């Protein structure tokens, strides 16, 4: 089988690493890796290929920046040409980015089967670009790999045939188990004067927060009210928005450069609490036994909220500060996200696709 994998953003590198590792152990499947370039800063992409031993892309499209429509359209055109040249048996896409949707649309229009990892997630907020990407990708896909029972129920409610949907668990849990003992302390950590297990780890990147000065200012003030040091790895685009508010320094937040995945694991393992608007980081906090405060009004990972390990705080400063008063570690069951063998289940299902009537 010839599989073409489309990735382009940080979370997809982490997910793809787990599946690529299983593929490399087999001789009956070949993977062609396409990197759209959606994340083009070296700290946000190249470092993941180095740290996580992901093969270098066979095709690097270099398409990042611009509006959602322009980016998705350019990616769609470029991926289509790659498909015409490579003629794969299946296209594999991950998550909910513009790269995900572009890969799925390019494939389905050329009648190439599409497989979607992390299918069935729903925030039920259609103003989020990611929500539209998820829905359209799921309905274009031939194989839908759902990470949770809730995701399976969402797909059933939307009328997607059950023979296309498969509960496989979450590849992010696979990654956590594999990389946890490889975690690396950031070189700058000891210069901050911060004690392990006594700081808030914060990440903010969603446009709904970074592009809205009121929401972003509320998050920053809420973090400052945590009564613990705050370490905040900042994406370059988010840093520009924060600098425009001129709040971070006066609030005493530790803004640091983006970190690699192994450094992020160390920070998650050694923080007291996580504050984030990232879907992936919400899960990683749970995997590492840390309470999480989600800086959004809704989450696609409803299981974590229902389990009482994740609090939806929104972006109001008082609400954020109050939520960050959480102490102790969450208790729950790891099997919310499978048994850590999701990648193997995905590859087995992909191979079965070859024998399925089209």
């Amino acid at each position: 089988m010839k599989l073409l994998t489309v990735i382009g953003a940080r979370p997809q590198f982490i997910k793809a690493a787990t599946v690529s590792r299983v593929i490399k152990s087999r001789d009956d499947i070949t993977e062609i890796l396409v990197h759209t370039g959606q994340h083009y800063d070296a700290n946000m992409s190249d470092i993941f290929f180095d740290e996580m031993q992901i093969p270098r892309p066979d095709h690097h499209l270099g398409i990042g920046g611009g509006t959602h429509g322009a980016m998705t359209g350019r990616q769609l055109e470029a991926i289509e040409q790659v498909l015409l040249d490579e003629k794969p048996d299946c296209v594999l896409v991950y998550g909910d980015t513009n790269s995900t949707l572009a890969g799925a649309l390019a494939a389905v229009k050329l009648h190439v089967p599409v497989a979607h990892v992390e299918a069935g997630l729903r925030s039920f907020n259609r103003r989020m670009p990611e929500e539209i990407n998820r829905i359209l990708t799921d309905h274009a896909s031939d194989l839908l790999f759902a990470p949770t029972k809730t995701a399976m129920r969402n797909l059933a409610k939307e009328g997607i045939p059950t023979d296309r949907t498969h509960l496989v668990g979450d590849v992010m849990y696979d990654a956590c188990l594999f990389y946890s003992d490889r975690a690396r302390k950031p070189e700058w950590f000891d210069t901050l004067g911060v004690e392990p297990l006594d700081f808030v780890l914060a990440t903010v990147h969603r446009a709904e927060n970074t592009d809205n000065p009121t929401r972003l200012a509320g998050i920053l003030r809420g973090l400052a009210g945590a009564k613990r040091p705050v370490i905040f790895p900042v994406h370059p685009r988010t840093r520009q928005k924060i600098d425009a508010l001129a709040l971070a320094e006066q609030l005493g937040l530790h803004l640091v450069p983006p970190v690699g995945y192994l450094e992020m694991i160390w920070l998650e393992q050694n923080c007291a609490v996580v504050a984030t608007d990232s879907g992936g980081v919400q899960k990683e906090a749970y995997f590492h036994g840390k309470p999480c405060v989600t800086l959004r009004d809704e989450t696609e990972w409803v299981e974590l909220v229902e389990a009482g390990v994740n609090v939806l705080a929104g972006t109001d400063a008082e609400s954020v500060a109050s939520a960050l008063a959480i102490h102790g570690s969450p208790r729950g069951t790891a099997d919310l996200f499978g048994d850590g063998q999701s990648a193997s289940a995905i590859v087995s299902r992909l191979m079965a696709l070859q024998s399925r009537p089209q």
Side-chain angles (χ1 to χ4, degrees), residues 184-201 229 231 254 256 263 266-267 270-271:
R184 184 169 62 237
K185 182 196 291 188
E187 292 182 359
W188 43 257
F189 182 84
D190 290 333
T191 70
L192 300 181
V194 174
E195 293 295 323
L197 304 180
D198 190 35
F199 65 91
V200 176
L201 174 62
I231 296 178
H254 295 291
V256 297
E263 292 176 323
W266 189 92
L267 291 169
N270 287 276
C271 70

Side-chain angles (χ1 to χ4, degrees), residues 90 126 176 190 233 288 311 339:
C90 183
R126 283 179 172 253
C176 174
D190 290 333
H288 295 297
V311 177
D339 60 2

